[in-house]
Amino acid sequence: MTVRDVWVRRVRTDLTKRGKTWRLLFDWTIVLYGGIPLTFFLGYQYVAMWQSAYPWLMDVPMLAWAAGLLLIQLHDHFFAWIERADVALVANRDLVSAMKRYSVGYHLAGMGMKYTLVLGLMAPVLKLHGWSLVSLVAFGFALFVVAWLHMWLRYLLDMKGTHWSLRLLVPVVAFSGTYALLADMPLLAVVLGSGSVALALVSGEGWLSRHPFISREVEHAARVRTAFDRSLLSTSGVFEKPNTRKRPYYRPTPNRFGSVRCTLALLLYIRTPSHRNLWLRLIPLAVTGFLLVPSWFKLLIPLYIGYVGIQERDAFLNEMERHPFFRMTQGRTD
């Protein structure tokens, strides 16, 4: 098996796992009642933006658009497709270097698709400001370069453990460069971009050959790959987080289950998959209803959602109180 085959297998496994995660969270009812209506509504609004139906977009300052783009850039995280076995068992520098090269290509392709979508969403707004097609393409390419430098420098400086002030300077420079592109200040954009390129060349020297921080890179890659599942599934009851808290040295107050019963019931209520699916059906329906339903009929939507929530909470509390564990612990005083 070649290095490319190993890399393809890892990428395919990761994408398959992400797909299963989304299928756990969004079933066909959510897509039917929330996804499809919202897609039609947003598509209609996007066409209306191209037809200049919202002239108030001209009044939004470029500083606000630059801040929004910075929030998108902060969600970009680079990682290398290397694992502990590549270093501990194989110990092959050529293997690690090849995995890093494939990782760069993977992230380049992913960021290219992402910022092509971002440019498509911003194109109607920039068209209102009189931008031509050539200007839009040039801005898209420059935005991609700024986003890549921002992600790449954050990764390199984190791996090297540099001072927090230097790491904080990277988003500030990226924000300033994006604002310079939007506000038509080419000199400032060139200066900031040149400085970022020079810093990236100095920081990334020897990244493909010497691997001085390989252990940190392996740990960082594992955290980034599992962050998606951890952030979604750990709060939905699909799997539990490991409990690392030590047992307290004091004894709890008497009748502890009586005072904590409601809080525990709410936590179990949120983490139960059936109730999670209920709320993931109701929340998109409520948001879609607020966007589509006219006039005072909007008041009926929160009343309906609140009524369903109260009924479900009461039913779950009654069901929990009939459980043998809570019947046994209800009368404990030690």
Side-chain angles (χ1 to χ4, degrees):
M1 182 178 292
T2 62
V3 178
R4 183 180 181 85
D5 295 335
V6 175
W7 178 80
V8 170
R9 174 178 293 184
R10 291 179 183 178
V11 174
R12 186 186 296 118
T13 303
D14 184 72
L15 295 179
T16 303
K17 184 174 64 176
R18 288 173 179 261
K20 291 180 179 179
T21 303
W22 284 112
R23 288 183 61 186
L24 283 173
L25 295 175
F26 298 97
D27 55 3
W28 67 271
T29 54
I30 299 174
V31 176
L32 181 62
Y33 295 119
I36 295 178
L38 191 61
T39 300
F40 280 109
F41 175 77
L42 294 179
Y44 171 78
Q45 298 298 324
Y46 184 72
V47 174
M49 288 173 61
W50 274 108
Q51 296 174 353
S52 303
Y54 302 106
W56 57 267
L57 291 173
M58 289 282 295
D59 300 331
V60 179
M62 288 300 180
L63 202 64
W65 294 114
L69 291 174
L70 178 63
L71 293 178
I72 296 175
Q73 294 169 9
L74 288 175
H75 286 83
D76 298 331
H77 298 285
F78 184 87
F79 65 92
W81 286 95
I82 49 179
E83 298 180 356
R84 181 65 61 186
D86 300 336
V87 182
L89 300 180
V90 181
N92 188 349
R93 286 178 175 265
D94 296 334
L95 172 65
V96 176
S97 299
M99 286 293 182
K100 287 186 174 183
R101 287 195 300 269
Y102 291 142
S103 302
V104 172
Y106 173 82
H107 287 287
L108 280 173
M111 288 190 64
M113 292 185 290
K114 176 181 178 179
Y115 284 96
T116 299
L117 178 62
V118 171
L119 179 63
L121 295 177
M122 286 197 63
V125 179
L126 298 178
K127 179 177 174 293
L128 288 175
H129 289 271
W131 287 40
S132 62
L133 180 61
V134 177
S135 300
L136 288 175
V137 174
F139 170 73
F141 179 76
L143 179 64
F144 172 77
V145 173
V146 170
W148 175 264
L149 291 172
H150 172 258
M151 179 186 68
W152 180 239
L153 285 172
R154 283 175 58 203
Y155 173 74
L156 293 175
L157 297 179
D158 286 342
M159 292 303 101
K160 289 186 174 183
T162 56
H163 195 264
W164 63 268
S165 59
L166 183 59
R167 284 180 286 175
L168 181 63
L169 184 63
V170 176
V172 174
V173 172
F175 171 75
S176 303
T178 305
Y179 176 71
L181 294 172
L182 290 171
D184 195 14
M185 293 186 289
L187 181 60
L188 178 60
V190 169
V191 171
L192 294 176
S194 302
S196 299
V197 170
L199 181 59
L201 290 175
V202 173
S203 302
E205 193 271 331
W207 182 73
L208 286 174
S209 57
R210 294 200 303 265
H211 318 303
F213 308 103
I214 190 66
S215 60
R216 296 181 187 175
E217 295 184 44
V218 171
E219 295 173 359
H220 175 76
R223 287 197 305 268
V224 173
R225 289 201 302 268
T226 58
F228 177 77
D229 295 334
R230 286 287 173 184
S231 60
L232 295 179
L233 298 183
S234 61
T235 57
S236 61
V238 178
F239 67 88
E240 296 288 340
K241 289 183 178 179
N243 187 7
T244 58
R245 192 178 67 175
K246 296 181 180 179
R247 187 171 180 175
Y249 293 104
Y250 60 88
R251 297 187 64 84
T253 57
N255 198 15
R256 60 188 183 276
F257 290 99
S259 60
V260 186
R261 183 177 62 87
C262 293
T263 303
L264 182 60
L266 289 175
L267 292 176
L268 291 175
Y269 170 76
I270 294 173
R271 294 177 67 87
T272 304
S274 60
H275 296 283
R276 178 207 66 199
N277 292 335
L278 170 69
W279 284 108
L280 285 177
R281 292 186 186 96
L282 291 179
I283 291 175
L285 183 62
V287 174
T288 307
F290 264 97
L291 294 175
L292 300 180
V293 174
S295 71
W296 60 271
F297 287 99
K298 295 179 185 293
L299 298 177
L300 299 178
I301 297 174
L303 295 178
Y304 171 71
I305 299 297
Y307 172 78
V308 174
I310 293 174
Q311 295 297 321
E312 287 291 327
R313 178 182 178 275
D314 293 341
F316 185 76
L317 285 173
N318 295 332
E319 179 182 356
M320 185 200 66
E321 289 175 351
R322 292 195 299 267
H323 195 278
F325 172 76
F326 289 97
R327 283 186 177 183
M328 178 183 64
T329 58
Q330 189 64 33
R332 291 183 59 176
T333 59
D334 56 340

